[in-house]
Amino acid sequence: MTKNLKDDQKKLFTQVKNNFLDYDPAYFIQNNLTLDGQPFSILGNGWKFMSDVYRYIALQASSKNGKPVINKKGRQVGATMMAGALDLYFTNSGLFNNPPIRVAHLFPALALVKRFTQDKLESLIRSSKEDFINENKLKGPNAVDNLTMKQFNTGTLWIESVGADGDRVRGMTIDVAFYDEVQDMTAQGIGNSTKTLTAAKYGQIGKGIQVYFGTPKEKGGWFEDTWNMSDQRYYHLGCRNCKQTFPFYQPNDPSWKNIWISEYNIKCPICGTIQHKVESLELGKWVPSRKYEDCKYVGFHINQFYIPNLTREYIDDLMPENNPTQSERTWNNEVVGEFYAGVGMPLTRSHIEMYCKDQDRAFSSRIDPKQK
């Protein structure tokens, strides 16, 4: 067998292998996308907790028995990039092209739509390997490619605002709905917009694929109620020595301080082995707090503790008792991703919507000036 023939066969095998692996969203991202030209990988580098969420949304929530997914998260944990990457996975992997899938990435306001499209999504598209995403765009005089709608050969993507009452998406027919910054949407807007999934071809019949991303704010809103209806999964770390997994972060539980002892050093509470944080993350798994069968949603909690390149000292500096510029509310909402209630907090839109708004009344279109 000649060398050229061997090389051709090796190249063909690699291509077939990569095409097959592209059905896995983690490999699709690694094989086809970059972050501003740099590798975009969530494999083998401490991001296993995130790759597991990618896979659940893409491969399980998309099934007929799949449930809606809610992600309660801290800030800067990579969730918006995950949503953008999944936008492109669903519409470009080819796994959902019969019929071509229809995805809507939804925000509470138009300003966020523009910011996400220009800063995140367009960057992912432009920097895709071998211009893969652009090459898969639908061609022709009637094809649409703008800030709020992108048509591909294997699917269509909308980036839109829900609006106050879901009015901006009314009349659409979609299969997948990503609700981004969901904590700033109204319950009515969410409820009305989910009607666009009634004829969905993927996911639950009549419900499609629903994914909610949000950084919690005040207690008492619909976002907290929805989280409370989920199975509330927390990521447990793993130990190379005893082969066991153990809880890391749990709400209102300070035991993480005895596990994350310094820098990137994690101490197994079972056998006492000390290992690198990245290794502990790669050996970990998601563990639900409640029975899956009893819950309407699958819930994943992600906070800054899990980011592979952050040290214990970095987190310590964000704690209110160690830093006068950090408030208790900021710690709860932004860092550990928890709802917060405290004295003197401002009245929020969700409170007004819940306690003050009368859905059956509206201002008159015309007021007689003679009437006082």
Side-chain angles (χ1 to χ4, degrees):
M1 186 177 292
T2 65
K3 182 178 183 300
N4 288 338
L5 182 58
K6 287 183 178 179
D7 290 343
D8 288 344
Q9 288 180 340
K10 185 176 180 180
K11 184 177 180 181
L12 178 61
F13 174 77
T14 300
Q15 183 179 353
V16 171
K17 177 184 175 183
N18 287 339
N19 288 341
F20 179 76
L21 288 175
D22 276 354
Y23 289 132
D24 181 328
Y27 281 99
F28 173 86
I29 291 163
Q30 181 171 278
N31 292 340
N32 298 291
L33 303 181
T34 69
L35 289 174
D36 298 320
Q38 299 301 312
F40 187 174
S41 177
I42 50 175
L43 294 168
N45 54 7
W47 287 98
K48 181 179 180 294
F49 67 95
M50 192 65 86
S51 65
D52 286 350
V53 179
Y54 276 73
R55 286 165 171 158
Y56 187 91
I57 293 171
L59 305 175
Q60 292 182 262
S62 60
S63 70
K64 296 302 180 184
N65 297 321
K67 293 183 179 181
V69 175
I70 180 169
N71 290 273
K72 181 165 72 80
K73 64 182 186 64
R75 291 285 181 192
Q76 305 300 320
V77 297
T80 296
M81 289 308 301
M82 173 172 69
L86 285 172
D87 287 339
L88 299 179
Y89 168 78
F90 276 117
T91 54
N92 289 271
S93 67
L95 186 61
F96 306 92
N97 67 341
N98 188 24
I101 199 167
R102 301 157 297 185
V103 179
H105 194 141
L106 304 172
F107 292 88
L110 284 172
L112 294 172
V113 171
K114 184 177 180 181
R115 186 188 309 167
F116 168 77
T117 305
Q118 293 180 330
D119 184 42
K120 299 289 197 305
L121 186 64
E122 283 295 336
S123 176
L124 285 174
I125 293 174
R126 287 195 307 269
S127 65
S128 65
K129 295 180 181 179
E130 299 181 359
D131 208 24
F132 169 71
I133 305 297
N134 275 321
E135 289 296 319
N136 193 43
K137 284 181 177 177
L138 192 66
K139 305 297 192 297
N142 297 321
V144 179
D145 180 17
N146 55 41
L147 283 177
T148 59
M149 183 178 180
K150 300 186 181 298
Q151 290 182 305
F152 301 97
N153 293 316
T154 47
T156 299
L157 172 62
W158 288 272
I159 309 94
E160 188 53 274
S161 164
V162 171
D165 302 319
D167 51 304
R168 291 190 59 87
V169 297
R170 186 168 289 135
M172 292 176 64
T173 300
I174 62 175
D175 304 300
V176 184
F178 286 110
Y179 292 95
D180 209 335
E181 302 290 346
V182 66
Q183 77 278 0
D184 291 328
M185 298 179 186
T186 66
Q188 184 180 11
I190 293 286
N192 289 338
S193 67
T194 57
K195 304 303 185 291
T196 60
L197 293 153
T198 303
K201 304 299 184 185
Y202 299 93
Q204 273 195 57
I205 295 175
K207 294 184 178 181
I209 304 168
Q210 300 176 33
V211 186
Y212 301 85
F213 300 90
T215 299
K217 292 184 175 180
E218 297 80 12
K219 282 180 169 290
W222 75 267
F223 186 43
E224 183 184 23
D225 292 340
T226 304
W227 171 252
N228 288 337
M229 291 190 287
S230 78
D231 60 3
Q232 300 186 5
R233 302 182 181 198
Y234 292 87
Y235 195 75
H236 290 201
L237 303 183
C239 176
R240 70 167 183 269
N241 182 52
C242 66
K243 312 300 181 185
Q244 301 296 309
T245 59
F246 50 89
F248 181 37
Y249 171 83
Q250 296 284 296
N252 303 312
D253 185 349
S255 62
W256 65 270
K257 296 177 183 178
N258 299 321
I259 296 172
W260 195 359
I261 55 177
S262 66
E263 296 184 329
Y264 301 105
N265 297 311
I266 298 293
K267 183 177 181 180
C268 174
I270 301 171
C271 70
T273 297
I274 297 175
Q275 61 188 22
H276 197 283
K277 179 183 175 184
V278 168
E279 186 176 11
S280 301
L281 288 165
E282 286 296 307
L283 294 171
K285 66 178 181 179
W286 285 98
V287 178
S289 304
R290 302 173 178 177
K291 289 184 178 180
Y292 174 84
E293 298 78 12
D294 298 336
C295 300
K296 293 184 177 180
Y297 296 84
V298 170
F300 295 97
H301 179 273
I302 304 171
N303 65 31
Q304 292 189 12
F305 286 21
Y306 296 95
I307 299 176
N309 63 338
L310 295 187
T311 65
R312 167 68 191 272
E313 289 72 21
Y314 176 90
I315 295 297
D316 282 345
D317 190 53
L318 298 179
M319 300 177 72
E321 58 264 37
N322 299 330
N323 190 333
T325 66
Q326 300 295 312
S327 68
E328 193 71 29
R329 181 184 179 185
T330 299
W331 169 260
N332 276 272
N333 294 164
E334 308 288 315
V335 181
V336 298
E338 296 291 353
F339 299 97
Y340 179 70
V343 178
M345 292 186 66
L347 189 65
T348 65
R349 175 171 179 164
S350 63
H351 291 139
I352 296 173
E353 291 279 347
M354 184 180 301
Y355 299 115
C356 306
K357 184 176 180 181
D358 186 341
Q359 304 288 358
D360 299 323
R361 299 187 66 184
F363 285 110
S364 173
S365 59
R366 180 180 181 276
I367 300 177
D368 191 335
K370 296 178 182 179
Q371 297 179 355
K372 294 185 179 180

